[in-house]
Amino acid sequence: MADKRDYYEVLGVNKGAGDDEIKKAYRKMAKQYHPDLNPGNAEAEAKFKECNEAYEVLSDPDKKAKYDRFGHAGVDPNYGAGGGGFDGFGGMGFDMGDIFSSIFGSGFGGGFGGGQRVNPNAPQRGGDIQTNITISFEEAAKGCKKTVEVNRVEVCDGCSGSGAAPGSTAQTCSQCGGSGQVMSQQRTILGVMQTQKPCPTCGGKGTIIPNPCSKCRGAGRVRRPAKVEVNIPAGIDDRQAVSVRSQGNKGVNGGPAGDLRVGVNVRNHPFFERDGYNVWYQANISFAQAALGCELIVPTLDGDVKYTVPAGTQPGDVFKLKDRGIPNLNGRSKGDQLVRVEIVVPKKLSQKQKDLLKEFEADLNPGNVNTLNEDKGKGIFGKKKK
């Protein structure tokens, strides 16, 4: 794990970037490398996981502060194991914190990564988990409740998390006497130094389990499927995510559970198109309806509404239905529905219809003079699109 890339480099932002910049960069990369958009692409899948890992750290103020101070070692206790990172000093195999503690007492050594050690029996927060769901365009606009199935780590119900089989208990480790620490001597450049290390027999816990639980094999936790109800807020967009607090992996030693992160995919609508919090709809009308005006029934997310199309409406004209769009995620406002008018030209006409159109054209445009581009100085496309 010692070859991990810098998390800021992964997201393409500078160190010290703000929350908004980090979130924007993550959304861009997650969309670019999402497995659904890159099926069978192992490289894209690896980059997707990498940017998720980077965002998980940089979006959390506590983790970000530790990462800025200590790098990967501040957020991953396994980083550098066996590689001469924080486990050693320049490849010499000893901990400068332990050396200074042994010489000057426990008050020293903290600045070198030693001195203060993580208590393996202290409460530890459970890990976050992630899943994805797909919802309809209307569900995204209106909000909904969904039940997702996840596999998460939970407390073993066979031993209530103790790891010991029913009727038995953990025993004090005979090697460390229950302290969880053992003393060892190392020959260093400063001479023979006595250091304190986690007990290899009990892993620093001070206890061992001679008769482990058959369900969890002494771990105290098991992985099992679970159903979680998720509230999808009105106005959520495609590729956004919802966090459900304390529904991730259960904690260790009574620690809090992690969170569940649910990525949301929104299906396309057959005739609505989202534009921020606005909704676009294309209304097809005939030439006669555009020329004479008509009453149009327009579907919206809140049901059908009537709209009077004015006489002389041109192809591409847009009219607005205020507050008929998608609610803002903060709940304070709502987008509009924008209706673009397109005129449908019939492909097949009877002879009578052709004659009537020719007569109409002759009355409207005597001498067959081209008057369609009377708006001069507005470009080759005539008047500007509204």
Side-chain angles (χ1 to χ4, degrees), residues 87-100 102-103 184-197:
D87 287 350
F89 184 82
M92 290 182 283
F94 63 93
D95 191 326
M96 288 298 291
D98 287 334
I99 293 175
F100 276 77
S102 63
I103 297 175
S184 64
Q185 290 184 340
Q186 291 179 310
R187 185 176 299 278
T188 72
I189 57 174
L190 301 180
V192 177
M193 296 294 176
Q194 189 174 16
T195 60
Q196 194 177 53
K197 298 291 183 183

Side-chain angles (χ1 to χ4, degrees), residues 103-235:
I103 297 175
F104 301 106
S106 60
F108 289 82
F112 292 89
Q116 296 182 354
R117 303 184 189 279
V118 177
N119 180 3
N121 296 311
Q124 300 176 33
R125 181 181 183 273
D128 296 338
I129 58 177
Q130 182 169 336
T131 190
N132 296 297
I133 60 171
T134 300
I135 61 177
S136 69
F137 190 94
E138 289 87 351
E139 287 174 327
K142 298 290 187 179
C144 61
K145 287 186 178 181
K146 290 289 183 180
T147 300
V148 298
E149 293 189 6
V150 296
N151 283 319
R152 66 184 180 189
V153 175
E154 297 187 349
V155 175
C156 176
D157 54 6
C159 62
S160 300
S162 69
S168 66
T169 58
Q171 297 181 1
T172 301
C173 175
S174 58
Q175 182 171 353
C176 65
S179 66
Q181 303 290 321
V182 293
M183 303 300 294
S184 64
Q185 290 184 340
Q186 291 179 310
R187 185 176 299 278
T188 72
I189 57 174
L190 301 180
V192 177
M193 296 294 176
Q194 189 174 16
T195 60
Q196 194 177 53
K197 298 291 183 183
C199 174
T201 301
C202 63
K205 292 185 176 181
T207 58
I208 57 175
I209 302 174
N211 189 16
C213 171
S214 59
K215 288 188 175 182
C216 64
R217 299 180 181 180
R221 302 194 303 167
V222 293
R223 185 176 294 275
R224 63 165 62 101
K227 292 184 178 181
V228 181
E229 188 176 77
V230 183
N231 288 317
I232 307 297

Side-chain angles (χ1 to χ4, degrees), residues 122-128 221 246-259:
Q124 300 176 33
R125 181 181 183 273
D128 296 338
R221 302 194 303 167
S246 303
Q247 291 297 328
N249 293 331
K250 299 302 180 183
V252 180
N253 300 325
D259 299 333

